[in-house]
Each structure stands twice: as structure tokens, then as C-alpha cells.
Amino acid sequence: AQSVTQLGSHVSVSEGALVLLRCNYSSSVPPYLFWYVQYPNQGLQLLLKYTTGATLVKGINGFEAEFKKSETSFHLTKPSAHMSDAAEYFCAVSDQGGSEKLVFGKGTKLTVNP
Amino acid sequence: DSGVTQTPKHLITATGQRVTLRCSPRSGDLSVYWYQQSLDQGLQFLIQYYNGEERAKGNILERFSAQQFPDLHSELNLSSLELGDSALYFCASSVAISGVGEQYFGPGTRLTVT
């Protein structure tokens, strides 16, 4: 069964600092990996996804993530945090075999301090 | 705006009651997914429909059921409600049958069972 572990339920950074949100996955088959963001009182919005090909994936709002098969990781980064990045971030996995469901991590709440 | 609509936005009801949550997918999307988000369980996949047919099932209780209509909107029915059913219920849609495609999430229905 697939699973996702997000290290750190809360991460706090200063405005302008590097954002690093960690995600490790477990999958018996090559996975599809996703990062979603949830702003307060809103639904989830897709930031980026990895399916096949280039392991460094660029998403919206300056975020990127790197798929590292050997480390079973898909960490999300942004070089310089902005106040508007404050939200909850979810890593998710689905398998290439056609399993439709997304398995989500518990989420990481990002706080950006001025 | 993801293009996925959910009604109602908020629902407050008593234990033992039955409620229906409604979802309209993005124009052209054939797949509809239902997820439950709660503080203790996080985001969990409930069920998926594709073009009117049940496609995949997750951690959906027997008291819960769903369907997708010919116009592709979907309804999630929750019966014999318990306090623990209080959660945010998200609908998502995608054009693809599998998890390869991005899932677009609606704003959610917040259910409070008293």
C-alpha cells in the first residue's frame, strides 16, 4: 500500500528565507507525486506534479520539487518565502498502475514571519 | 477558482440524521472523487466515479453512499450521522480516468454534526 510521510506538521520561516517542506513516500510501483496547497477556508490547489521524465519539477508561485527515487523523497522548495505562501501544504501519491485515488500526507502548515 | 462547485458550503445537523452533499465537476471532466478531511484522519479518499460508474473505493463507511448522474454531477449521501462524521468533505474532478491527470478540488462542504 502506498503512503506518504511529511516531516514536520509546522514549519516557520522568515520572509525571504528558503522554504523546504519534506515528503517521503512509500510505493511498490513507480509513483506519480503531487504537492497541493490549501489556503484557509479554501480547497486544494495543485502546485506541481511528477509523473515521468525530468526529476526536477517546477510549479506555480516559484515552487519546485525534486523526485529522488533512491531516497523515496519529493521535497518541496522555494528559494525565497513570501508572506502569501503561508498555507498548509500536502504531498500526495498515486501509482502508475492506474489507481485513481490520491493518498495524502498529514500536511505541513507553513508560517511566514515578517 | 477551480471550476468545481460544491453545495452547500456549510451544513449543521444532528446525530442520526441524513444529509446530501452535491458536487458539479469542471466542464468536460468525467471523473469525480470524494475526500474527507478531518483533524484526526487527515485527507482520506472516499470514492470515485467515472462517467456514471463507480471506479474506485476507499475508506468509505457503509452509512455513506454516492452516485454520479448523467449530467456528471455527483452526490454524497451520509446517513445515521455520528459526531465523528464532522469534517470537511471535498469533491475533486479530473478529465482522466486514472490518477495521471490533475485533480481539481472544490471549496468543500463543512459538515458539523451536533
Side-chain angles (χ1 to χ4, degrees):
Chain A
Q2 298 162 304
S3 66
V4 174
T5 302
Q6 290 184 241
L7 295 174
S9 57
H10 289 84
V11 169
S12 182
V13 300
S14 298
E15 193 173 18
L18 171 72
V19 175
L20 171 60
L21 304 182
R22 299 177 188 273
C23 171
N24 288 88
Y25 70 90
S26 171
S27 178
S28 58
V29 296
Y32 292 142
L33 294 159
F34 306 81
W35 275 100
Y36 281 85
V37 61
Q38 184 179 25
Y39 297 101
N41 301 313
Q42 292 188 30
L44 283 78
Q45 181 183 7
L46 181 69
L47 276 178
L48 49 81
K49 68 175 180 180
Y50 168 79
T51 53
T52 58
T55 56
L56 183 61
V57 180
K58 293 187 185 299
I60 61 171
N61 301 340
F63 285 93
E64 63 183 35
E66 187 171 10
F67 170 61
K68 291 187 177 180
K69 185 179 177 181
S70 61
E71 298 177 9
T72 60
S73 68
F74 191 57
H75 302 329
L76 182 71
T77 60
K78 181 174 180 178
S80 177
H82 192 272
M83 297 294 289
S84 60
D85 295 326
E88 190 153 20
Y89 293 79
F90 293 90
C91 182
V93 63
S94 71
D95 70 60
Q96 289 196 18
S99 172
E100 289 77 9
K101 68 178 184 181
L102 289 175
V103 175
F104 285 91
K106 294 286 189 185
T108 298
K109 190 168 184 179
L110 176 66
T111 301
V112 182
N113 302 306
Chain B
D1 185 353
S2 67
V4 178
T5 60
Q6 290 187 248
T7 56
K9 192 167 185 176
H10 300 279
L11 200 47
I12 301 174
T13 189
T15 54
Q17 295 299 304
R18 173 190 170 95
V19 296
T20 297
L21 312 183
R22 182 188 168 106
C23 167
S24 292
R26 293 189 319 154
S27 177
D29 284 359
L30 299 179
S31 274
V32 170
Y33 310 77
W34 286 98
Y35 292 86
Q36 179 194 58
Q37 185 179 33
S38 62
L39 282 174
D40 53 345
Q41 298 291 328
L43 262 164
Q44 291 206 76
F45 168 74
L46 295 178
I47 196 164
Q48 181 211 1
Y49 278 80
Y50 177 79
N51 203 21
E53 300 290 327
E54 182 183 304
R55 177 69 183 174
K57 224 169 184 176
N59 299 323
I60 187 165
L61 299 171
E62 284 190 15
R63 300 183 285 108
F64 296 0
S65 65
Q67 53 185 327
Q68 186 179 26
F69 295 86
D71 67 352
L72 300 178
H73 90 271
S74 178
E75 293 180 357
L76 180 67
N77 301 295
L78 315 176
S79 62
S80 304
L81 285 167
E82 302 176 358
L83 295 178
D85 298 326
S86 295
L88 199 49
Y89 291 85
F90 286 109
C91 166
S93 74
S94 74
V95 64
I97 192 171
S98 76
V100 176
E102 298 147 28
Q103 293 184 25
Y104 293 86
F105 282 75
T109 293
R110 184 170 295 281
L111 173 66
T112 302
V113 182
T114 62

